Amino acid sequence: MGDAMSTDLPASKGSGVKLADSDFAADHRSTDVRTAVGDYWLRVRSGDLGAIPAILGLAGLIVLFTALRPDTFLSKGNLANLSTQALPVTILAMGLVFVLLLGEIDLSAGVASGVCAAVMAKLIVDSGQPWYVAVLAAIAIGIVIGTVLGWLVAVVRIPSFVVSLAFFLGLQGITLRLIGDGGTVPVHDDVIVALANKNMPLWLGWTAAVVCAAGYAATQLRRWQRQRSRGLAASPIELVAARVAVVAVVLLAGTYLLSLDRAPSPLVTLAGIPWGVPLVAVLLIICTFVLGRTSFGRHIYAVGGNAEAARRAGINVTRIKVAVFMISSALAAISGVVAASRLNSVATDSGGGNTLLYAVGAAVIGGTSLFGGRGRARDAVLGGLVIAIIDNGLGLLGTKAYANFLITGVVLLLAASIDATARRRRSSTGR
Amino acid sequence: MSHATAVRPVLELRGIDKSFGPVRVLHDVALTAHPGEVTALVGDNGAGKTTLVKGIGGVHGFDAGEYRFNGEPVRPRSPRDAAALGIEVVHQDLALCENLDVVENMFLGRERSNGLALDETAMEEAARRTLAGLSVRTVGSVRRRVSELSGGQRQTVAIARAVLWDSRLVVLDEPAAALGVAQTQQVLELVRRLADKGLAVILVSHNMNDVFAVSDRIVALYLGRTAAQVRTADVTHRQVVELITSGRTGDLGLPA
């Protein structure tokens, strides 16, 4: 490829320009695996950790809990349980990734999910509305909450920490008013309940997994081919293939494990992927596309990296800020619906307690920076799994509530310290 | 160096006044910038260089005076207006997003899309073409993040971004202020190449060596007035320093 670049380029301005081999040599050098791996290692050492902490955390926790509870933790039933346990926190974290990318915080996302779930439950139970009307209403309420929140942050310019803390208190009051002191609203709608309690037919699960794996492979390979044929910067094909292979193996292995019969009695069958999992997959694909492939997403990263530069480049910073809070609260609403499905009810404390901290922890453990400008939608999935495993494992160990709080707090602090250390490292090695 | 006196100037400022409240920052300032030439804008701290540059770039308006671009009277009201005319200002702080890569920064706010999705291929190709056209050898991969680049490389990216948009006039505010010797040299060479490609370049600088190394003309500001507009070849180092510090030297400069 190196020689191809020393040909004459069409003159952009003035006379024909020669692009010497050395100009973008680095782009073509990286088509060799060793250099690519070397570059990656250099990035990691300079503080760009990506998904490494989350993957190490996942592996460590799985080994730990398997050692402590060998017969229950890795049982088929518990694996399915784990996947539904991770759903609400993952969806909430995915919304928070948008807010964190700007270096802002939304402490009210958890209780917003509670309010939206309460609205949904009341519409179904008291007004007899069909599930889709109730869910759309919940999402609409989420968007309204996010708009007000974002407006107060972006236009009135109150720090998001304070605004969302006020919302954290205020929204709990609204949930309480909707549901009544100490009460719960049961949710019996078939579709809502199915999200976390019913499974996809086996054939559909397998089809979806294969389609996702094939789709991922196709987009990756097509991109690689286009970059290659136009002489653009491209990863070595071996790395592209390895990425595709890892994703395919994870998808198919997960499908296999969830397709095993996990019914405690041999008389019935209980198998398949819970319906909430494809929901998260769809959200993940949409958010990844928006953040990575649209100019809106690009502008979110720009505002998070250098708001002044973004403003001077003509980006409407206020609009971006309001938009991320709207997205965060809308996803919080969906998370609230899934949580309601899991518990078959909405209670006054839905979305309260440690819900929000779990979600922030998930995003940060997954690799999203609290300082803005760094993060991806998949961080929420990786971090959500880590958080779910901690929650699930501690449950199996039967630790006391006080210990749960302590351990979760320590995990969140640990993730934040990794983030802060990595950031220091980045700024000190930035040549 | 080209002899462009016959060519119509890209930028002509005449009788420019600008006050901030009671403080008169610019008074009867004149400046012309010709295509294919580097015009150095020099002056002591507080002489009004930055105010003049901001006015040219549309950050704020001028109170009075004539602002002609390509012979037409214009009045850019925002950096976007100025960019639409073909005026790009590279500010001292560069305004790059460190978490984005070179291509992403060059197209920031003006991304090319293919329907909903960004057209990364077109953007990367255009970015490479621009960098190659400037004979830039220092960036390495155009997919490197700006946080991984050195000060000189960042300056290069900021300048390349300014010329990506078919601009006619590029204003560089102290591009070499924070750079080492070798990097300064690279940036100055780049500045020279911009002019050689036919752009009008205004270079704000404190450093006489840099000014004499690359400029064709020098405009000296003294306390908000234009002390002199001269060809670099016609003056000495010492004369320019005198213009900066006292507003005149010999028969050049403001009347005593």
Side-chain angles (χ1 to χ4, degrees):
Chain A
M1 280 309 288
D3 315 79
M5 292 312 295
S6 51
T7 48
D8 269 340
L9 282 174
S12 48
K13 286 171 186 172
S15 57
V17 188
K18 276 233 173 193
L19 178 51
D21 183 47
S22 60
D23 285 0
F24 299 106
D27 285 347
H28 305 286
R29 243 197 1 248
S30 68
T31 43
D32 140 41
V33 180
R34 267 187 58 192
T35 339
V37 172
D39 284 354
Y40 177 72
W41 180 233
L42 209 72
R43 275 197 175 186
V44 169
R45 286 204 344 192
S46 66
D48 200 351
L49 298 177
I52 292 177
I55 289 170
L56 289 182
L58 270 180
L61 286 168
I62 290 173
V63 169
L64 177 73
F65 287 125
T66 313
L68 291 174
R69 282 290 176 273
D71 25 296
T72 43
F73 181 69
L74 278 187
S75 70
K76 291 172 244 167
N78 194 44
L79 286 177
N81 196 9
L82 245 177
S83 70
T84 51
Q85 209 166 355
L87 294 176
V89 64
T90 300
I91 299 172
L92 198 58
M94 214 178 279
L96 281 167
V97 166
F98 284 82
V99 174
L100 292 173
L101 273 174
L102 292 197
E104 306 279 353
I105 185 81
D106 181 0
L107 297 175
S108 68
V111 291
S113 79
V115 169
C116 297
V119 168
M120 175 204 69
K122 293 290 271 186
L123 280 175
I124 291 176
V125 174
D126 292 1
S127 323
Q129 296 290 340
W131 67 270
Y132 49 88
V133 172
V135 169
L136 284 180
I139 294 174
I141 296 288
I143 291 175
V144 169
I145 293 172
T147 312
V148 178
L149 194 62
W151 182 79
L152 288 168
V153 172
V155 180
V156 185
R157 300 196 182 218
I158 312 171
S160 57
F161 168 74
V162 177
V163 177
S164 62
L165 194 57
F167 271 62
F168 175 75
L169 292 175
L171 291 177
Q172 282 178 324
I174 293 182
T175 314
L176 207 56
R177 175 75 185 73
L178 281 174
I179 293 182
D181 269 338
T184 54
V185 180
V187 179
H188 294 310
D189 182 89
D190 287 342
V191 176
I192 304 285
V193 169
L195 268 180
N197 298 297
K198 291 271 174 358
N199 305 311
M200 298 166 85
L202 293 187
W203 65 268
L204 185 58
W206 280 110
T207 314
V210 169
V211 165
C212 281
Y216 181 74
T219 44
Q220 291 292 314
L221 288 174
R222 228 183 44 215
R223 188 159 86 204
W224 179 83
Q225 199 180 18
R226 195 176 55 232
Q227 288 170 337
R228 186 68 189 230
S229 66
R230 303 263 210 123
L232 305 180
S235 317
I237 184 67
E238 293 87 343
L239 283 194
V240 176
R243 255 201 322 261
V244 168
V246 167
V247 168
V249 165
V250 167
L251 278 172
L252 297 178
T255 310
Y256 170 75
L257 287 174
L258 291 172
S259 298
L260 296 172
D261 184 9
R262 53 182 178 264
S265 126
L267 301 173
V268 287
T269 29
L270 178 61
I273 301 171
W275 278 105
V277 174
L279 171 68
V280 168
V282 168
L283 291 175
L284 174 67
I285 292 169
I286 294 174
C287 291
T288 304
F289 178 80
V290 167
L291 285 176
R293 297 267 163 267
T294 66
S295 54
F296 172 67
R298 181 69 41 85
H299 293 174
I300 292 178
Y301 284 98
V303 172
N306 186 344
E308 175 59 17
R311 192 186 62 77
R312 281 201 221 151
I315 294 169
N316 187 336
V317 176
T318 309
R319 200 179 62 99
I320 298 281
K321 275 194 182 169
V322 176
V324 296
F325 281 100
M326 288 166 71
I327 293 170
S328 166
S329 300
L331 283 167
I334 298 176
S335 156
V337 171
V338 176
S341 162
R342 231 187 120 230
L343 301 175
N344 290 321
S345 67
V346 179
T348 48
D349 62 347
S350 283
N354 51 14
T355 311
L356 187 270
L357 286 189
Y358 271 177
V360 173
V364 175
I365 291 169
T368 297
S369 172
L370 288 167
F371 303 97
R374 264 157 211 273
R376 293 159 163 226
R378 67 143 201 239
D379 297 350
V381 177
L382 287 173
L385 277 175
V386 172
I387 291 285
I389 288 179
I390 294 175
D391 202 27
N392 177 287
L394 291 179
L396 291 180
L397 293 181
T399 41
K400 297 266 190 311
Y402 79 90
N404 277 1
F405 277 114
L406 279 174
I407 293 170
T408 316
V410 167
V411 169
L412 179 58
L413 266 186
L414 196 68
S417 347
I418 293 175
D419 178 28
T421 318
R423 178 182 141 95
R424 247 206 348 261
R425 205 148 176 160
R426 279 199 299 272
S427 55
S428 67
T429 50
R431 281 173 297 144
Chain B
M1 301 207 179
S2 52
H3 293 278
T5 31
V7 182
R8 191 173 64 188
V10 172
L11 173 76
E12 284 178 277
L13 300 177
R14 237 177 257 133
I16 296 291
D17 288 347
K18 175 71 188 176
S19 302
F20 291 111
V23 184
R24 189 174 241 191
V25 184
L26 298 176
H27 179 56
D28 196 22
V29 167
L31 181 150
T32 54
H34 297 263
E37 291 193 351
V38 177
T39 305
L41 179 61
V42 299
D44 212 342
N45 290 339
K49 300 188 300 284
T50 304
T51 307
L52 187 58
V53 166
K54 283 188 174 166
I56 294 171
V59 176
H60 52 57
F62 294 125
D63 296 338
E66 210 180 335
Y67 183 158
R68 283 177 179 273
F69 190 74
N70 284 332
E72 303 284 324
V74 293
R75 205 155 275 272
R77 295 182 179 283
S78 70
R80 277 208 145 172
D81 283 2
L85 289 168
I87 302 171
E88 293 282 340
V89 180
V90 179
H91 294 281
Q92 215 171 336
D93 61 2
L94 302 183
L96 297 173
C97 291
E98 295 196 6
N99 58 334
L100 299 183
D101 68 29
V102 173
V103 179
E104 291 168 347
N105 265 290
M106 286 175 70
F107 280 88
L108 191 59
R110 303 184 257 201
E111 290 86 1
R112 285 189 199 162
S113 290
N114 226 339
L116 260 182
L118 292 169
D119 190 351
E120 296 285 355
T121 314
M123 290 195 281
E124 187 172 330
E125 283 180 334
R128 279 157 172 283
R129 227 170 11 243
T130 303
L131 286 164
L134 297 170
S135 313
V136 169
R137 262 163 236 287
T138 48
V139 173
S141 169
V142 291
R143 285 298 180 186
R144 277 173 80 190
R145 288 205 183 124
V146 167
S147 60
E148 298 169 36
L149 302 182
S150 70
Q153 290 172 325
R154 291 176 195 209
Q155 186 67 247
T156 304
V157 172
I159 294 173
R161 173 168 67 178
V163 300
L164 184 61
W165 306 102
D166 275 330
S167 39
R168 305 285 314 277
L169 170 68
V170 176
V171 184
L172 304 167
D173 193 358
E174 301 263 12
L179 301 183
V181 177
Q183 294 189 342
T184 300
Q185 194 52 39
Q186 278 165 4
V187 168
L188 289 179
E189 278 171 21
L190 179 56
V191 169
R192 191 61 246 171
R193 277 199 292 275
L194 293 184
D196 292 344
K197 284 161 66 72
L199 278 86
V201 180
I202 295 179
L203 172 72
V204 178
S205 181
H206 261 121
N207 186 317
M208 283 309 118
N209 291 328
D210 296 357
V211 168
F212 276 88
V214 294
S215 73
D216 302 286
R217 290 166 194 272
I218 297 175
V219 175
L221 289 186
Y222 177 70
L223 300 180
R225 291 160 180 268
T226 302
Q229 278 205 75
V230 292
R231 291 196 138 281
T232 308
D234 298 341
V235 289
T236 63
H237 211 294
R238 191 184 53 81
Q239 282 177 303
V240 176
V241 172
E242 277 184 20
L243 283 170
I244 292 172
T245 52
S246 59
R248 65 181 154 284
T249 172
D251 356 328
L252 267 177
L254 297 164

